[in-house]
Amino acid sequence: MSPDESDPLAGQLDPAACALLTVECQEGVVGPDSALPELAAEARRSGALGNVARLVMAAHEAGVQVLHAVAERRPDGRGRNRNAPLFHAAERLPVRQLTGSTAVRIAEPVPVSGDDLVVRRLHGLSPLAGTGVDALLRNLGCRTLVVTGVSANVAIPNTVFDAVNLGYTAVVPADAIAGVPADYTPAMVRHTLALVATVTTTDRIRARWRRSRRR
């Protein structure tokens, strides 16, 4: 058996059939003036945000489609959820993820190119539910979705479950997601995400895309 045959990533990370999704890597979530400073600090301390940036750069070089999923709300709150404690807590935060504000810009050091798709949602917990992302991915010929960003507590598992339910193969670089407390993320990966997604690392994905470029 060749090395490629023994590596599930070989069949999952074809640049023509996969996409990279960054989840809520926006100034108001992981930036220096975050509404969630503990999460922002962990995303940077763990290296997760830096690894998201490295994956985006590698995707750009390999011709992999990048999508940035941004959570925002209208100033008047129209269309927002009110059916969970999380949404009520968000209303009390000092930083609001308002449409058009600095808070909903993609945070440094994550690069954004002209070919990237920035997909914004006004409701819910997942970038895939009711946002049009599924249709975009299918139009792009995507079969595998690489999921990165925050948080490992809510949005990341929600995104992975939705991707699997929609028929995509989900790939999760465990060092490119973050949540709080710090020890929750590896537990979520080991006991939940590993059951439904291919769990890997930033370096392995980048190496696979580099190999695809050489071919």
Side-chain angles (χ1 to χ4, degrees):
M1 181 180 293
S2 71
D4 276 2
E5 291 173 335
S6 63
D7 182 3
L9 291 177
Q12 295 172 356
L13 294 180
D14 174 5
C18 71
L20 173 67
L21 179 69
T22 76
V23 179
E24 296 182 29
C25 292
Q26 58 200 74
E27 289 287 349
V29 177
V30 295
D33 297 318
S34 170
L36 303 165
E38 185 181 2
L39 176 60
E42 178 58 23
R44 293 177 183 274
R45 183 209 63 78
S46 66
L49 190 60
N51 283 331
V52 172
R54 294 171 64 221
L55 283 167
V56 171
M57 289 186 284
H60 289 162
E61 293 171 357
V64 173
Q65 180 65 57
V66 177
L67 298 90
H68 303 280
V70 173
E72 60 182 43
R73 57 161 294 175
R74 289 167 50 112
D76 61 11
R78 287 183 183 272
R80 70 177 177 86
N81 286 72
R82 297 175 173 84
N83 58 337
L86 177 65
F87 302 120
H88 296 294
E91 289 300 302
R92 299 191 295 271
L93 294 173
V95 178
R96 302 290 183 88
Q97 315 298 321
L98 297 180
T99 300
S101 70
T102 301
V104 298
R105 295 177 186 169
I106 304 303
E108 294 184 352
V110 180
V112 181
S113 84
D115 291 330
D116 294 358
L117 297 174
V118 179
V119 184
R120 304 177 183 278
R121 77 177 194 274
L122 294 173
H123 65 88
L125 301 170
S126 168
L128 271 67
T131 62
V133 170
D134 179 35
L136 293 175
L137 293 174
R138 293 185 191 281
N139 288 344
L140 292 164
C142 175
R143 296 193 303 272
T144 298
L145 189 63
V146 181
V147 180
T148 67
V150 296
S151 72
N153 304 74
V154 178
I156 295 299
N158 204 320
T159 303
V160 171
F161 294 151
D162 282 351
V164 172
N165 286 333
L166 288 167
Y168 299 98
T169 296
V171 173
V172 177
D175 55 356
I177 64 172
V180 290
D183 59 359
Y184 181 77
T185 300
M188 167 59 76
V189 170
R190 179 179 179 182
H191 299 293
T192 301
L193 298 184
L195 302 178
V196 293
T198 300
V199 176
T200 186
T201 65
T202 294
D203 285 344
R204 287 191 65 198
I205 293 174
R206 293 176 72 241
R208 175 56 55 184
W209 283 340
R210 281 197 302 269
R211 187 175 301 180
S212 297
R213 287 169 54 203
R214 287 197 296 269
R215 290 177 179 173

